[in-house]
Amino acid sequence: MTPHKAEAKARIAQLHAEINRHNYRYYSLDDPLISDAEYDQLMRELQQLEQRFPELITPDSPTQRVGAEPLDRFGEVHHRLPMLSLENAFSDTELKEFDRRVRARLKTDEELIYAAEPKLDGLAISLRYEDGVLVQAATRGDGNRGEDVTLNVRTIPSVPLALLGSGWPAILEVRGEVYMPKSGFLALNERVCQMGQKPFANPRNAAAGSLRQLDPRITATRPLAIYCYGFGEIEGGPLAPTHSKSIARIAAWGLRVSPELQTVKGVGGCAVYYRQIAQRRDAFDYDIDGVVFKVDRYDLQARLGFVARAPRWAIAQKFPAEEAITRIKAVEFQVGRTGAITPVARLEPVFVGGATVSNATLHNMDEVVRKDVRAGDTVCVRRAGDVIPEVVRVILEKRPKGAERILLPTRCPVCGSEVIKPEGEAVARCSGGLCCAAQRRESIKHFAARRMMDIEGLGDKLVDQLVESGLVHDLADLYQLKREQIAGMERMGEKSADNLLQALEKSKQTTLARFLFALGIREVGEATAAALASHFKTLDALKQARLSDFIIEKGVKGVGEVTAKAICDYLQSHPNLVVHGDFACWLASLKIRGLTLEVAKRLVEQFGSLDQLSAATVDQLRYQRCSLVDGVGPVTAEHVVAFFHQPHNLEVIDRLIDAGIHWDEGEAEPSDQQPLSGLTFVLTGSLSRPRGEIKDQLQSLGARVAGSVSKKTHYLVAGDAAGSKLEKAQQLGVQVLDEAGLEALLQERQAN
Ligand code: IVH
């Protein structure tokens, strides 16, 4: 070897190591140490050396990723250890059943430690490293035989061509999922569309299509990434006694692993993990379709073994599908609290997003027209998280003959009053006001709800019955209900009647803000109600308020910023003007931008003489409506004033006050201003700090800390080994936080 070549060889080895380290920082850790330009410089140096000494190019050189020549077909790879699939669980019950089976087989009552990680929706791949160098990459195929996609996988930046560090076994097979990040998928589809080609249906298909390209140069242009989650053949046996520790070792060698991997204790820990991942799912830059739980200890895994094609020690808990196909039986119109008429599709019941759905909103008539939904249509419905199920699209091929368009009814389906849809607005409304039973019913439900009067036990079904039976006509009638009247309702007894009476009694002590919110004034939500209460202090002041107490008008109507400036500029630059004839006509004849005769008349009315007008500032001329009450604009103000001018409303309010509803007038509520006011927490499981300390902290921020979970609980803070409270919280849909989640919530609340 010439001295030059020997030098080059040493430098090439140095560059390999350096570039590999930067690749790892950039692609696997997302934490680069050098700029792109510095990186390019290293790559260029390597390329130049390799050009001079082609015989020094090795397959693990970072220059060898760019994509080799196309293949005729993929070779076949025999997996020395088969690539298995996973058993699925579709519910907490099925997961519990899995945990029970596992423990029965292991003959243990103790809670097991599970390694928990997201289940990526991509393609399984096996990477074979020999002496730290990537020698082969294969797809899963039938589990025993897959396709040799080495040349393609080499183009994936987060797959190390050579392992970092030291201590790896001579043979190391790592298994993982190749996927396409959502962001990369969108960009790719945009490119594909621009070239006039058909876009990919989803990131999974795009990843599969990209990896199974015979031309690696195409694969090289596709944004693929990998997360490693398991192992095949390893010379010398497992890397550590547990799965989680083995994963930590390969991460140190530069293989990319999920940052979400955690060990959790028992089936309770699995449930918390599942919910947390489900909640954060949309924020990940990759699609996941569930989470995977694996018994962490390898000795236990070995005792459990396999069935057919899946290990007994692992399970995938899948997220419920968020979309499903069903048929619309009919379209009906629902009337809301403010009379808004909403078209609702009545569906053949279908299981979607984890629940059986038989109604889906169509939002408004504009949506019905846009989606061209008709009764009898087969449709795709979507229910994601806690959102109301909706119709996504119609499957036109399945439309029955003669299916008719849906028309907005001219009369309210409940009370027969006229339906009004103002031009340009999407929402149509029943004009019946509180004569409409539907509006009454909905306003009573609103009044009774937790954030309003908080009347426990007065649920939707009971309100429906009370209104239907004629016992309750308006809000004030609630407080006249007799024990036997309540007990006579369906599914009610004396005990529940007593409870309701007690709840009604308790609700009488309230705050002005809650009361205003409960009244259901249009446009008045929780924050507006609080603003009104703190501004007007008393109900009487609010009742007497006029529009001018909410909004003041400044300047001259019809004069905007531009016209105001134009007027000022003109008059200042023409100091010796003389009025000829009628002042307003003369002003209009000056042809100042925006100054019409109408505006001129108003200017004259307000300023009287040319001298006074000439002295006016832009701010005095420009028309502005200013809110006197924080956050209450003109539209809301009009609704509030109109509400307190309706004799019927005033009468109901008087009767409510007569019935004993009261609050401390004129006093701001200090508790409402604390970061956690109005929130109820429950603590469970073993936490890293004493419970008393966390409780004190929460209470000092205005929260209530309760001993047991109920519908009123806002958050369950669950530590390790959380048990029955966690289960209850999950049943009731109460949000569960771990300590990190609590910390995040506190920071967010305190920042606001
Ligand atoms: S472990 C023996 N972990 O899901 C256990 N698989 O339905 C083998 N998958 O073929 C799989 N994310 O392609 C495991 N964190 C993860 C996973 C995961 C996605 C895929 C994998 C497997 C399929 C089984």
Side-chain angles (χ1 to χ4, degrees):
M1 207 184 276
T2 64
H4 278 321
K5 190 166 163 189
E7 225 170 86
K9 193 174 175 188
R11 178 61 185 151
I12 285 174
Q14 245 176 13
L15 285 168
H16 280 192
E18 205 164 325
I19 293 170
N20 282 340
R21 194 162 64 97
H22 292 308
N23 276 345
Y24 171 65
R25 298 291 304 206
Y26 186 88
Y27 292 108
S28 295
L29 302 185
D30 220 353
D31 183 22
L33 291 174
I34 56 172
S35 69
D36 288 5
E38 288 168 297
Y39 178 86
D40 291 343
Q41 183 54 43
L42 295 174
M43 274 300 259
R44 246 191 322 269
E45 188 186 345
L46 178 59
Q47 276 159 352
Q48 280 161 2
L49 285 173
E50 288 181 343
Q51 237 163 28
R52 263 183 69 201
F53 303 104
E55 62 278 23
L56 294 181
I57 299 177
T58 57
D60 66 336
S61 166
T63 60
Q64 300 305 297
R65 283 187 189 277
V66 277
E69 293 290 307
L71 299 172
D72 293 335
R73 54 174 199 88
F74 294 115
E76 196 182 77
V77 173
H78 174 242
H79 299 299
R80 278 169 241 206
L81 282 181
M83 289 180 77
L84 300 169
S85 67
L86 289 168
E87 191 198 335
N88 290 322
F90 291 98
S91 64
D92 285 352
T93 322
E94 287 182 14
L95 188 73
K96 270 188 213 149
E97 189 44 36
F98 161 78
D99 176 65
R100 196 197 55 71
R101 276 197 313 269
V102 167
R103 288 195 292 167
R105 236 169 217 283
L106 295 173
K107 299 197 175 57
T108 175
D109 289 334
E110 275 175 39
E111 288 192 303
L112 295 172
I113 302 294
Y114 288 103
E117 53 204 80
K119 183 171 190 306
L120 280 113
D121 202 7
L123 284 94
I125 206 90
S126 187
L127 307 174
R128 188 176 172 89
Y129 288 88
E130 290 179 4
D131 296 320
V133 175
L134 177 69
V135 294
Q136 191 170 63
T139 61
R140 192 176 102 104
D142 65 4
N144 291 315
R145 272 162 213 289
E147 283 173 326
D148 184 341
V149 287
T150 313
L151 295 178
N152 289 344
V153 169
R154 295 174 63 90
T155 69
I156 302 175
S158 48
V159 173
L161 299 181
L163 296 178
L164 302 179
S166 60
W168 12 265
I171 294 171
L172 173 64
E173 262 181 33
V174 173
R175 277 145 191 200
E177 198 86 346
V178 168
Y179 67 94
M180 189 173 289
K182 291 186 208 166
S183 49
F185 167 73
L186 293 176
L188 171 64
N189 258 359
E190 208 164 288
R191 254 190 308 161
V192 167
C193 286
Q194 267 167 13
M195 295 191 302
Q197 292 164 355
K198 200 170 154 244
F200 292 101
N202 54 48
R204 208 201 94 83
N205 284 3
S210 304
L211 200 62
R212 302 196 60 261
Q213 272 288 339
L214 286 169
D215 186 347
R217 290 170 303 193
I218 296 180
T219 312
T221 67
R222 301 286 171 81
L224 295 173
I226 194 168
Y227 274 129
C228 302
Y229 54 64
F231 301 92
E233 190 185 354
I234 303 177
E235 195 183 75
L239 303 173
T242 63
H243 174 73
S244 52
K245 291 208 169 81
S246 302
I247 292 288
R249 286 198 75 187
I250 61 168
W253 295 331
L255 288 154
R256 192 156 175 265
V257 302
S258 169
E260 305 300 333
L261 184 129
Q262 267 179 34
T263 51
V264 299
K265 196 165 172 196
V267 76
C270 293
V272 172
Y273 183 83
Y274 176 82
R275 284 178 60 89
Q276 282 168 352
I277 295 290
Q279 263 172 18
R280 294 171 42 219
R281 178 180 183 189
D282 290 341
F284 295 140
D285 192 26
Y286 43 85
D287 279 338
I288 59 175
D289 57 356
V291 296
V292 181
F293 299 112
K294 301 168 189 166
V295 172
D296 198 32
R297 270 170 54 181
Y298 284 142
D299 59 334
L300 300 183
Q301 285 190 3
R303 276 169 58 195
L304 287 160
F306 302 85
V307 265
R309 314 220 32 79
R312 281 207 192 88
W313 41 263
I315 195 159
Q317 188 176 5
K318 301 288 274 285
F319 296 133
E322 293 181 336
E323 290 190 354
I325 305 293
T326 187
R327 205 182 65 87
I328 298 186
K329 293 193 289 191
V331 173
E332 289 174 5
F333 290 87
Q334 250 172 19
V335 187
R337 177 170 59 83
T338 60
I341 299 213
T342 309
V344 178
R346 307 285 178 216
L347 307 169
E348 307 266 11
V350 62
F351 192 76
V352 56
T356 300
V357 164
S358 39
N359 301 302
T361 181
L362 292 162
H363 301 291
N364 55 53
M365 283 314 288
D366 292 354
E367 280 280 299
V368 171
V369 172
R370 196 171 62 75
K371 292 178 179 160
D372 188 19
V373 177
R374 305 185 190 186
D377 269 343
T378 299
V379 290
C380 171
V381 291
R382 182 177 172 81
R383 178 182 180 275
D386 294 335
V387 300
I388 302 168
E390 59 169 0
V391 171
V392 184
R393 64 178 180 277
V394 173
I395 298 164
L396 283 175
E397 297 78 17
K398 298 214 170 158
R399 170 165 290 169
K401 276 212 180 73
E404 287 183 17
R405 279 182 206 284
I406 290 152
L407 300 175
L408 180 69
T410 52
R411 303 244 147 225
C412 170
V414 177
C415 72
S417 302
E418 202 186 336
V419 168
I420 298 170
K421 182 171 183 279
E423 195 72 40
E425 275 182 33
V427 179
R429 282 177 209 279
C430 158
S431 58
L434 290 180
C435 300
C436 175
Q439 294 188 46
R440 285 205 312 269
R441 220 166 37 215
E442 295 310 311
S443 60
I444 292 167
K445 289 176 190 169
H446 174 83
F447 185 79
R450 188 166 76 185
R451 277 147 60 219
M452 295 77 170
M453 301 303 281
D454 194 14
I455 308 174
E456 206 177 336
L458 188 55
D460 290 2
K461 292 255 158 59
L462 185 56
V463 172
D464 289 346
Q465 288 184 60
L466 290 170
V467 172
E468 240 155 69
S469 65
L471 280 176
V472 173
H473 217 75
D474 58 37
L475 303 176
D477 291 343
L478 285 174
Y479 292 91
Q480 308 304 324
L481 284 171
K482 303 277 172 301
R483 187 165 182 264
E484 58 281 6
Q485 291 175 320
I486 304 170
M489 296 286 121
E490 233 172 79
R491 291 196 303 168
M492 295 293 285
E494 309 220 320
K495 179 90 185 91
S496 34
D498 284 338
N499 288 344
L500 180 59
L501 286 175
Q502 251 178 35
L504 281 161
E505 202 49 44
K506 202 172 124 205
S507 74
K508 290 178 182 173
Q509 159 75 47
T510 183
T511 67
L512 178 55
R514 273 175 173 263
F515 183 66
L516 292 174
F517 184 26
L519 288 176
I521 307 165
R522 284 254 315 261
E523 302 277 333
V524 177
E526 203 163 9
T528 307
L532 290 170
S534 86
H535 182 86
F536 288 95
K537 306 274 193 290
T538 70
L539 181 61
D540 278 334
L542 190 55
K543 276 191 199 161
Q544 280 152 24
R546 285 168 304 178
L547 208 51
S548 57
D549 294 314
F550 292 87
I551 304 288
I552 46 163
E553 294 180 279
K554 291 203 312 197
V556 179
K557 247 195 182 137
V559 177
E561 175 100 27
V562 173
T563 306
K565 275 205 181 114
I567 296 173
C568 285
D569 284 353
Y570 189 91
L571 296 180
Q572 267 161 31
S573 52
H574 298 81
N576 302 317
L577 286 172
V578 180
V579 180
H580 289 291
D582 176 64
F583 185 19
C585 289
W586 173 81
L587 266 179
S589 75
L590 298 177
K591 297 275 175 279
I592 297 171
R593 195 168 167 194
L595 211 173
T596 59
L597 183 58
E598 210 153 311
V599 170
K601 281 182 184 159
R602 285 197 212 114
L603 286 169
V604 172
E605 206 173 291
Q606 205 148 322
F607 293 94
S609 70
L610 180 60
D611 281 350
Q612 283 190 14
L613 182 60
S614 302
T617 62
V618 171
D619 234 28
Q620 286 168 324
L621 292 172
R622 184 165 66 108
Y623 180 73
Q624 273 175 295
R625 290 204 287 187
C626 307
S627 297
L628 296 172
V629 187
D630 255 358
V632 179
V635 177
T636 309
E638 273 174 39
H639 284 304
V640 174
V641 172
F643 183 88
F644 287 108
H645 274 78
Q646 264 265 333
H648 173 78
N649 292 338
L650 294 175
E651 187 223 301
V652 171
I653 292 175
D654 283 347
R655 282 168 49 224
L656 285 168
I657 304 290
D658 285 346
I661 288 184
H662 63 283
W663 55 85
D664 293 336
E665 247 180 12
E667 271 179 42
E669 277 182 277
S671 68
D672 265 19
Q673 279 142 23
Q674 288 184 293
L676 300 181
S677 308
L679 296 181
T680 302
F681 288 77
V682 174
L683 308 175
T684 189
S686 69
L687 299 156
S688 68
R689 290 186 288 155
R691 244 188 237 185
E693 187 185 311
I694 302 180
K695 187 171 168 183
D696 285 348
Q697 183 191 12
L698 294 174
Q699 284 175 338
S700 74
L701 295 169
R704 213 171 82 79
V705 180
S708 63
V709 176
S710 76
K711 272 197 303 200
K712 291 196 172 186
T713 310
H714 294 90
Y715 294 101
L716 176 72
V717 180
D720 280 342
S724 64
K725 284 182 191 162
L726 179 63
E727 250 169 62
K728 180 94 185 278
Q730 281 160 353
Q731 273 166 15
L732 294 175
V734 168
Q735 197 168 344
V736 179
L737 298 175
D738 60 4
E739 287 193 80
L742 176 65
E743 218 30 70
L745 177 77
L746 292 181
Q747 271 173 22
E748 181 193 312
R749 286 272 171 167
Q750 284 170 306
N752 288 333

